[in-house]
Amino acid sequence: MTAVRVVPLSAGECLNIAALTERGAAWRLQAYPAGFALLEHPTRGAVLFDTGYGPGVRTLMRRWPGVLYGLITPVRLEAHQTALARLARLGIVAGDVHHLIVSHLHADHVGALRDFPAATLHLDAGAYPPLRGLKGLRAVRRAFLPELLPPDFEARTRELAYRAAPPGCAPFGRVADVFGDGSVYALPVPGHAPGMIALIVRTHEHAALDGDGAGLTLLASDAAWSVRALRADGEVHPLARVAFWNTGQERHSREALKTWLAAHPAARVIVSHDAPEAEHGD
Ligand SMILES: [Zn+2]
């Protein structure tokens, strides 16, 4: 089976109130990384899962209505922290990236889409339609800044094709085998945002989906603010739920990921806004 190396990276950070992200945490501002990941695929090359913030976000935050986004979610991004800069240090240039898997369309996940003009954009069919055409305040309210999308966004988009899941994906009944080789599976986890996805990545060629999770990495995107909250029973503050696209779907998706993780305790977990777990030895 094809194995992929997962390199967790981040591009900038946002400030949020800790108490809103974790029940029982203090009412103080905390910085959260805008995580993304490089998936080194043996034949597809450098694949990205999201991009973090990008230079366009800073520009947009200087004018209406992006300035509101910056007030609600203050952003820090230095030039050396962008996805392009992070990848350059690994010897990867924009033209090397032919596949970019988009977890959802929030600004902190697609901030640098325009920097990867050669990439096919893989996303859930439900991610874009509810946001298409939103402008101004109605877009910012959804953490969506349409100006971040490249002009040929729709032409370069490829919808994920969900099929009956192989054994070991339960409770997920349908998943998308992104490259058709069993290396990267997309799981539908809508709720936080429309059409959000998580990934199960095979990082060891002998890893079994129906094993204990060893050799698998779960990239859970924004299904939780912290790895601990996803593994244990961390609930977000009711006020934080105001930002969810669909609270019922969000709970259902989070519970499904927790169930999968409970059955795969040895899987490595990465969420976008927390420090990534270390790779387990196997
Ligand atoms: Zn998000």
Side-chain angles (χ1 to χ4, degrees), residues 104 106-109 143 192-193 196 221-222 273:
H104 63 298
H106 282 170
D108 51 333
H109 294 258
H192 166 84
M196 191 167 88
S221 186
D222 283 0
H273 303 305

Side-chain angles (χ1 to χ4, degrees), residues 97-241:
V97 178
H98 296 286
H99 297 279
L100 206 161
I101 306 170
V102 178
S103 70
H104 63 298
L105 291 168
H106 282 170
D108 51 333
H109 294 258
V110 298
L113 278 195
R114 284 171 175 260
D115 288 345
F116 299 95
T120 295
L121 308 170
H122 302 264
L123 70 160
D124 184 287
Y128 186 51
L131 305 175
R132 185 192 281 130
L134 289 189
K135 286 194 176 72
L137 274 180
R138 295 178 65 219
V140 169
R141 156 106 177 75
R142 294 290 168 203
F144 175 61
L145 301 176
E147 297 87 348
L148 295 175
L149 302 185
D152 58 352
F153 172 77
E154 293 193 44
R156 276 201 283 140
T157 292
R158 188 184 298 172
E159 291 178 358
L160 293 165
Y162 294 108
R163 309 243 186 279
C169 293
F172 295 92
R174 292 176 75 73
V175 300
D177 183 350
V178 181
F179 299 116
D181 58 6
S183 64
V184 179
Y185 289 101
L187 319 172
V189 289
H192 166 84
M196 191 167 88
I197 57 161
L199 299 183
I200 295 173
V201 180
R202 187 189 299 276
T203 57
H204 193 288
E205 56 184 321
H206 298 304
L209 276 178
D210 52 1
D212 66 357
L216 301 176
T217 292
L218 173 69
L219 290 151
S221 186
D222 283 0
W225 274 95
S226 70
V227 172
R228 197 172 53 147
L230 197 59
R231 284 199 180 276
D233 217 17
E235 279 281 348
V236 296
H237 193 279
L239 265 177
R241 287 190 211 128

Side-chain angles (χ1 to χ4, degrees), residues 251-268:
R251 174 174 295 274
H252 183 267
S253 294
R254 188 157 33 90
E255 290 301 326
L257 285 173
K258 272 186 192 172
T259 302
W260 185 86
L261 265 179
H264 299 80
R268 179 193 196 191

